[in-house]
Amino acid sequence: MATVADIEPASLTITPGTSEQFTLTLRNDGDDVEAYRLTAIDDAADLVAIEPDTVLVHPGETGTAVATLELAHGGNWAVGEMVVRFRVVPAGAPDDFLVLEAIATIQSFSEVAAVLTPPTLEGRRGASTRISVTNTGNAHAEADLAVSAGNLELTIDRPRVALPAGSTQEVALRVHARGVLWRGDPEQHDFTVTVTPEGQPSVPLEGTFRRLPLLPGWTFVAAIVAAAVIGLGIFVGLAVLVWNAVTGPVVTPPPTEAASDTSAPPPTAEPVVVVTDLTAPADPDPAGGSVVATLAIEAADAPPDALIAVAVTWPDRLALASASCLGWLDGSTDDVIAPETPGLVRPGDQCLIDPGTLRAQADLEFTGPREGFSETVSAKASRLVTIEGDRAVEVEPGVRKSFDEKVALTLDPAPFWLQVEQYRPEPGSSTRLFVMAVHRTLDADTQDARVALRISVPDFADPPNLFGAFVVGGAGACVDVPEDDVCVVDFPVDVDPFDQGGGRWVDDALETQWVFVPIEVPTDESDAGLVSVEAVGLTEGDDELGAKATADLIPPATGPLVLGSDLFPVDVEFDPSSAPGGETVQATVELTAAILDDRPAADDGSRLLALEFLWWDQLNLVGDPEGCAEYDPKSRVCTLDEPAAGEEIPDVVLTFTVDEDATSSGADHAELLVKASVLTYPPEDEEDLTGGADVPGGWPIRWDATQIQSLDFEFG
């Protein structure tokens, strides 16, 4: 190899909110001048700035670049080691790239802040407020709470709070005045709450309680006037008695209902204080592919038979798989969503919990990308309700406003996971090509592995032709076919990662075997079902697992197989179809949503249409795609509004610039992949469940179609 690269230091420590530097040294042992392009990859790709990012080195000489690793101040950084990797790509031989690796150890820190909400209270005997304590660091913290005041009694829920990294705890504070202020001017009493985190200075919070008199100031004058009126009334009464004795009795009519009603209106009750707690397990099992967040509440003053509605929000990358709420309220319509249909629940909807039960809580199970995830879920008590029919009715006195409770859900990638996807079929073809992807994390185990897969298809399709299975390059995908529906996939460690015929695709953290399986289907029928793949055997080195142990480690995967309608066709076209480096091109995505005509939409009429984009590094997106109602640049997902009846879906246009040095790497084209999907509705009867079969993962289903389009490069 003509390039020698080194990194200094090989390891360092860094605290969030600071920056540290690595020095990259490159030596050119070749005979020609070489330009090296330096990029940070993997977890640190967005955290590192390299200056310069291209180093020109003459033969026999060395060049250097400085890479600055900067962590934003906050509690999102897990304590421990983070691998920082750099890719060094020679412009003259891009396939002979090098990867440099160093270790950055993230230090722990905790910062505790507190606030009193509201700080100013008012009442005749007492009032309530809340102490919000937030840990903005990345390490667990504890804090003590103390209260002090003069002529006031202060009561707090708990004198000490535990604060996981990035969390907020709320503590209820009740202020009660000693004695009674019968009349006169309001009195003002100051009080202090002191929050003392371990190892940090105390945080004093100043509050004020404005004590109102039980009786207004004018009541003394009113009492004198009332006494005079009463005395006059007694005098008049005696005179009437004397007159009656002389002239006879006088018949007095009974008082009217309005005149006899002297009752005062009932006092207005204060809103119910709801303490919300949101927790998650410390070490969820990645093989399960899901994390459970527990939502617990305390509401001692809630009226009988009332329910607490808690609004729950989560990012789009997560999906709510199940929940033990009594039910859900639609966040915009107040309609009740049945607890057995979690697929209809959306972020912002409200989980119903009974505060009168012994364990007033609900478990929320979330799933996310199989490659692992770290996302934040939040919850906030919003209303006090009862259910009448299929609608929610608010109950007085309501719920006191509070802050969002947040919890981070983190799941490391499983050692193995499966994926099923169908390529868009050719019109009129009887062959459906499915790709069964077996993903494996490289850092899980580096030795050889073999996975046995059982592939199942609906009854209307022919059994899968495993002997016709293949990978890119034409090599056989199933190295062994012990049964008609089972094949064995190899994960060798000594295969050239650039040899497409070797049946292996590699990136920096993942190894994947793509098994392409043709499935024959009738061309004159309309039907729908699921193609599934399950792991029935796993061998790593000398360790061999049976079917049950393998199934516990590797969950199955499914994908829809639909006949008779092209659910979501996609067409992609570049303009121009070829371009040199530095040129601007446009890609137009045309699509329709021809959902099965004999199946209605969901009750609320919604179908969520979405497009996911993937493109080669030689293409650079300019701005956001046009035509999207929403666009997430992180996941590259474009969400579209469903068109009204009779209207077409508007085209989506992406503008790219081609890298100036796109052709210097030896590539002759770049590809844009578009995946289209539509979220449908829950089943109406057993026939909707593809012949009565249980659909894994529940409804709604995500139907996918894929289109790949190439842009050719022009060489100068």
Side-chain angles (χ1 to χ4, degrees):
M1 179 175 291
T3 303
V4 178
D6 189 23
I7 184 171
E8 289 290 342
S11 63
L12 53 77
T13 59
I14 185 170
T15 301
T18 65
S19 62
E20 297 290 342
Q21 291 183 336
F22 297 97
T23 299
L24 310 179
T25 303
L26 310 174
R27 178 176 176 81
N28 181 5
D29 287 344
D31 299 326
D32 300 317
V33 177
E34 187 62 87
Y36 297 97
R37 184 176 182 182
L38 309 176
T39 55
I41 58 177
D42 296 344
D43 295 340
D46 297 330
L47 310 175
V48 175
I50 304 176
E51 182 63 33
D53 59 1
T54 300
V55 180
L56 190 68
V57 183
H58 291 270
E61 296 182 1
T62 60
T64 61
V66 175
T68 302
L69 171 65
E70 183 173 0
L71 302 186
H73 187 77
N76 297 326
W77 308 105
V79 178
E81 293 184 349
M82 176 176 64
V83 179
V84 183
R85 293 189 178 96
F86 300 91
R87 182 183 285 124
V88 181
V89 181
D95 291 343
D96 293 335
F97 65 85
L98 299 175
V99 175
L100 300 179
E101 183 175 297
I103 301 296
T105 302
I106 301 176
Q107 300 286 83
S108 64
F109 80 101
S110 61
E111 287 187 353
V112 176
V115 64
L116 196 63
T117 307
T120 302
L121 310 176
E122 188 176 77
R124 289 181 171 83
R125 294 296 304 275
S128 296
T129 184
R130 302 187 68 79
I131 310 164
S132 298
V133 188
T134 302
N135 177 13
T136 59
N138 66 344
H140 183 87
E142 304 273 344
D144 293 320
L145 286 77
V147 293
S148 61
N151 195 32
L152 295 175
E153 294 179 358
L154 304 180
T155 305
I156 56 175
D157 285 352
R158 41 191 167 151
R160 187 176 179 86
V161 291
L163 299 164
S167 68
T168 298
Q169 297 290 328
E170 292 189 349
V171 179
L173 170 63
R174 177 69 181 175
V175 179
H176 190 79
R178 296 187 178 98
V180 177
L181 178 62
W182 288 102
R183 63 186 181 85
D185 296 329
E187 296 178 352
Q188 181 168 306
H189 299 272
D190 297 329
F191 62 91
T192 303
V193 178
T194 303
V195 180
T196 307
E198 287 185 344
Q200 298 183 36
S202 298
V203 180
L205 305 176
E206 303 296 336
T208 301
F209 173 61
R210 188 169 181 265
R211 184 185 185 187
L212 303 177
L214 192 63
L215 300 175
W218 46 262
T219 53
F220 181 72
V221 176
I224 296 176
V225 174
V229 172
I230 292 172
L232 180 61
I234 294 174
F235 175 79
V236 173
L238 291 175
V240 170
L241 289 176
V242 173
W243 178 260
N244 286 340
V246 176
T247 63
V250 177
V251 179
T252 303
T256 63
E257 182 178 351
S260 62
D261 185 9
T262 60
S263 60
T268 302
E270 294 186 358
V272 175
V273 175
V274 180
V275 180
T276 307
D277 188 27
L278 194 60
T279 58
D283 297 307
D285 180 14
S290 63
V291 181
V292 175
T294 300
L295 173 61
I297 64 168
E298 294 181 11
D301 299 330
D305 302 327
L307 303 177
I308 303 294
V310 182
V312 184
T313 58
W314 59 90
D316 293 338
R317 278 166 50 89
L318 297 185
L320 182 67
S322 64
S324 59
C325 306
L326 297 178
W328 288 83
L329 297 182
D330 186 293
S332 58
T333 66
D334 285 351
D335 290 340
V336 177
I337 304 172
E340 63 271 13
T341 55
L344 295 181
V345 178
R346 301 173 181 175
D349 289 345
Q350 299 162 7
C351 170
L352 296 177
I353 301 179
D354 186 354
T357 57
L358 183 61
R359 298 182 64 190
Q361 65 181 43
D363 290 333
L364 312 174
E365 181 184 10
F366 292 95
T367 61
R370 284 293 182 184
E371 59 268 26
F373 56 85
S374 179
E375 301 290 349
T376 299
V377 175
S378 63
K380 180 179 181 180
S382 59
R383 293 189 294 170
L384 201 62
V385 300
T386 60
I387 304 302
E388 296 182 2
D390 58 354
R391 299 277 294 177
V393 178
E394 291 202 32
V395 175
E396 295 294 341
V399 171
R400 182 179 295 277
K401 293 182 179 180
S402 62
F403 295 97
D404 286 353
E405 278 292 315
K406 297 182 179 180
V407 66
L409 301 186
T410 301
L411 186 69
D412 294 329
F416 293 89
W417 73 92
L418 308 178
Q419 184 179 358
V420 178
E421 187 170 326
Q422 178 189 195
Y423 277 89
R424 183 183 177 189
E426 294 294 331
S429 174
S430 62
T431 301
R432 298 292 187 267
L433 187 60
F434 276 81
V435 57
M436 316 294 176
V438 188
H439 303 288
R440 175 195 187 198
T441 51
L442 293 180
D443 56 356
D445 201 332
T446 56
Q447 58 189 350
D448 288 346
R450 294 165 65 90
V451 182
L453 304 175
R454 172 172 284 115
I455 301 171
S456 304
V457 300
D459 293 338
F460 59 78
D462 293 341
N465 179 14
L466 299 183
F467 290 98
F470 63 92
V471 297
V472 176
C478 296
V479 298
D480 190 13
V481 186
E483 302 176 36
D484 290 343
D485 57 351
V486 174
C487 72
V488 178
V489 176
D490 247 336
F491 280 89
V493 297
D494 56 354
V495 175
D496 180 3
F498 295 98
D499 179 11
Q500 295 292 336
R504 181 176 184 237
W505 176 85
V506 176
D507 68 12
D508 297 300
L510 189 68
E511 183 180 47
T512 302
Q513 284 285 27
W514 303 97
V515 183
F516 292 84
V517 179
I519 298 175
E520 296 297 319
V521 297
T523 58
D524 56 352
E525 297 182 12
S526 293
D527 215 330
L530 293 173
V531 174
S532 64
V533 57
E534 58 179 329
V536 294
L538 172 64
T539 302
E540 287 190 286
D542 297 329
D543 298 330
E544 184 174 351
L545 300 181
K548 185 179 185 307
T550 302
D552 293 338
L553 181 64
I554 310 176
T558 61
L561 172 58
V562 180
L563 303 183
S565 282
D566 194 352
L567 286 181
F568 207 173
V570 183
D571 186 35
V572 184
E573 183 176 348
F574 273 109
D575 183 23
S577 59
S578 62
E583 187 79 8
T584 299
V585 296
Q586 285 188 336
T588 301
V589 182
E590 181 182 356
L591 59 154
T592 59
I595 303 170
L596 295 177
D597 296 333
D598 58 344
R599 301 196 176 199
D603 292 338
D604 61 1
S606 66
R607 294 187 180 100
L608 179 61
L609 308 181
L611 293 170
E612 179 182 357
F613 305 118
L614 298 171
W615 55 80
W616 285 20
D617 291 341
Q618 291 90 342
L619 299 179
N620 305 295
L621 182 66
V622 179
D624 289 342
E626 299 177 11
C628 302
E630 296 180 8
Y631 178 69
D632 182 357
K634 182 178 180 181
S635 61
R636 296 182 179 179
V637 171
C638 163
T639 302
L640 303 102
D641 291 329
E642 184 183 14
E647 295 184 0
E648 296 182 354
I649 301 176
D651 293 343
V652 176
V653 178
L654 300 92
T655 302
F656 295 98
T657 58
V658 182
D659 267 356
E660 290 283 357
D661 57 351
T663 58
S664 63
S665 63
D668 59 359
H669 71 283
E671 290 184 348
L672 168 67
L673 181 145
V674 182
K675 295 177 64 177
S677 60
V678 55
L679 286 176
T680 60
Y681 44 88
E684 294 185 347
D685 50 42
E686 291 187 0
E687 293 182 359
D688 279 346
L689 290 173
T690 63
D694 182 35
V695 179
W699 292 76
I701 285 184
R702 183 180 291 275
W703 307 87
D704 287 330
T706 302
Q707 176 81 7
I708 300 176
Q709 184 67 25
S710 294
L711 172 72
D712 296 330
F713 294 152
E714 294 179 4
F715 294 88

